[in-house]
Amino acid sequence: MYLISFFGLGVSISHFNDIALFVIYISIINALLWPILTKILMPFLVLTFGIGTLILNGVLLQFIGPSFGIHVNGPAIILAPLAMSFVTTALSTILTIEDEGSYYRSVYRDAEKKRKKETKNYPGLIIVEIDGLAYDVLKEAVDKGLMPTVKSMMENTHNLRMWETDLSSQTGASQAGILHGNNEDITAFRWIEKENDNQMMQCSGVSKVKILESRISDGDGLLVDNGASRSNLFSGDTDNVIFTFSKILNLRKLYNKAWFSVFSNPSNFARIVCLFLYEMILEIVSQIKHVIKDIKPRISRGITYIPVRAATNVFMREINTSTLIGDMMVGDIDVAYSTYLGYDEIAHHSGVRDEDSWYALKGMDKQIKRLIKTNNYTPRKYQFVIQSDHGQTNGATFKQRYGQSFEDFVKSLLPTNMKMFAKMTSNEDHYAESFIPFSKKNDDLIDKGEQEKLGDSEVIVLASGNLAMIYLTQWSHRLTYEEIQMFFPELIPGIVNNEYIGFVVVKSSEKGNMAIGKNGTYYLDSDEIVGENPFRGFGKNIARHVKRNISFKYTPDILVNSFYDEENDEVCAFEELVGSHGGAGGSQSEPFILYPKTWNIEDDEIVGAESIYRILKDNLRKLKEECED
């Protein structure tokens, strides 16, 4: 308050001796009035994404302040509550104060009013997804002492297992499999549907994801029985959603009673804003540090990424945890699935094992601790599963290594007059635009000019991490190897012989589907290998994954996977990201699941996202059955 007053930002203080009494008085008023005000104004607070809490706080200060010689006007209506929260947050950090008792009590008070009379006699389940965290990186973080809560779970109550993604190692394919038990026809992050007039479909954009969910859902999703979805692509067939892409356009679903836990404490949202601003400062410092230290591989992160990092690693993180705490304290939901995005977003831009990424995991561990601690306040106990949807693999990009973008490289192998459309970014599956959920850009992520170019194109090149798809759209069918060789004789040999390409997959009219490497061919229909195995180094199940992927409706004419450097554990993404995922090679295909030791899960390897759905669904059913017995 003194600082705002000193800089003339709308606060004037005439009686400094009364400031302590003012703080005590405003605390009492907040305790009495805040629950009533938030209950009445909850829709306003939600629709303003929390900014309304700052305004409400400021109005209270403006109304009460004059009695103590404090006058709040103009920008101070927002700055004053922010400043007070900033001091509290800073002191708590400096003094390492971890007591969140006041927050828990405020949520508990409201939760008690929402509880049903009868308490369920079986435990609920909270599933926390740490987006993009590979099994080996998690173990390394635990060994470094960055995740003590997870370490304690591993040592005492939970089992840790690695599982293997499908070929498309990205959020869309994985969450479709996990939440709906079906990721059929999700070829990659983005694909072309020749049979639908060359429509481009993708695992992002609220209208596209809504269509995808209608395709994959059979009505028996993971969350269909009294479940809750928090910050996911798909809903798992529940209507209890917050920041869930497939249903985010439904305004009636945006307002959710679970928001009460975010606004139950007058300073909670202001604290989130302070942490948000601090995260932005950390990113600015990080960008400068990466340049000074010449850390490589490195990409230009830019100004716009600064608030995106803060949004994913702070705003969404805090909203997820707060709403889950409220869900647990009410005790009605049987299962909740929540995606935490911070690590994945940061690893994409800073690197899989950069100090920024370790920092994100350290903060994530604190969120898990908060959730576990909530069991002390719940009418029924909740079990926890911590898991990831895929990993990431580091490496300099194709453009950085080859000196030319992949789309330009492909263009150089085609006739000069061919019209090309390329879309080489897939980071939208990490919700960078979820903070402007009604933006037209977020709806389809392609502008009018691009749409016209797409419709007029003869060749389309798309990227999903280190997986690329080439569609030759003059033909309505999937071209055969022989046809491509006839019309574009330089295309396949040129791609295969590039030193940064691992293999391509095409369909021969004579020998069926085949994977072609530099020194050998794998005939997928007969499992015959001539020369060197092009899949060497990509894992023992890679042929199985590729076979399934190319059986999908929208398989490209040419599927391309980058090389994988086993010695340095690197791939090269076709998009400009340091840490990438979407194809095969390294840890991107090796996420983890940490589940209760009491669960009965077979020791067989866990392959494919649909297997995780079955594991979770079976054990959810057993939780109820055991209590009924």
Side-chain angles (χ1 to χ4, degrees), residues 593-613:
I593 180 169
L594 185 67
Y595 60 88
K597 287 184 176 179
T598 54
W599 285 19
N600 184 20
I601 298 178
E602 295 180 0
D603 293 332
D604 298 339
E605 62 179 351
I606 305 171
V607 180
E610 294 174 2
S611 298
I612 298 296
Y613 167 84

Side-chain angles (χ1 to χ4, degrees), residues 401-441:
R401 294 173 189 268
Y402 189 64
Q404 185 180 33
S405 67
F406 183 71
E407 62 268 34
D408 286 342
F409 169 63
V410 171
K411 196 166 189 176
S412 71
L413 302 173
L414 295 167
T416 55
N417 61 344
M418 282 196 76
K419 298 175 182 178
M420 174 185 282
F421 174 85
K423 194 77 171 175
M424 306 301 287
T425 60
S426 68
N427 196 36
E428 293 92 348
D429 80 327
H430 307 102
Y431 318 95
E433 281 81 17
S434 65
F435 311 102
I436 44 172
F438 310 112
S439 163
K440 187 174 181 181
K441 178 186 176 185

Side-chain angles (χ1 to χ4, degrees), residues 3 118 162 223:
L3 284 173
E118 293 185 5
M162 184 185 80
L223 308 178

Side-chain angles (χ1 to χ4, degrees), residues 37 326 580:
L37 291 173
S580 69

Side-chain angles (χ1 to χ4, degrees), residues 34 38 42 45-46 49-50 53 103 106-107 242 257-270 272 315 318-324 326:
W34 191 260
T38 52
M42 184 65 73
L45 303 182
V46 172
F49 295 95
T53 61
Y103 171 73
S106 62
V107 177
I242 291 178
K257 292 180 180 179
W259 281 100
F260 82 91
S261 54
V262 179
F263 306 120
S264 59
N265 187 307
S267 63
N268 187 46
F269 189 80
I272 293 173
F315 182 81
E318 297 295 323
I319 296 298
N320 285 354
T321 301
S322 293
T323 54
L324 287 175

Side-chain angles (χ1 to χ4, degrees), residues 25 70 75-76 84 104 112 149 191 278 368 433 611:
Y25 189 76
I70 299 171
M84 294 170 69
Y104 281 111
E112 265 193 316
T149 306
W191 62 90
Y278 178 66
I368 296 170
E433 281 81 17
S611 298

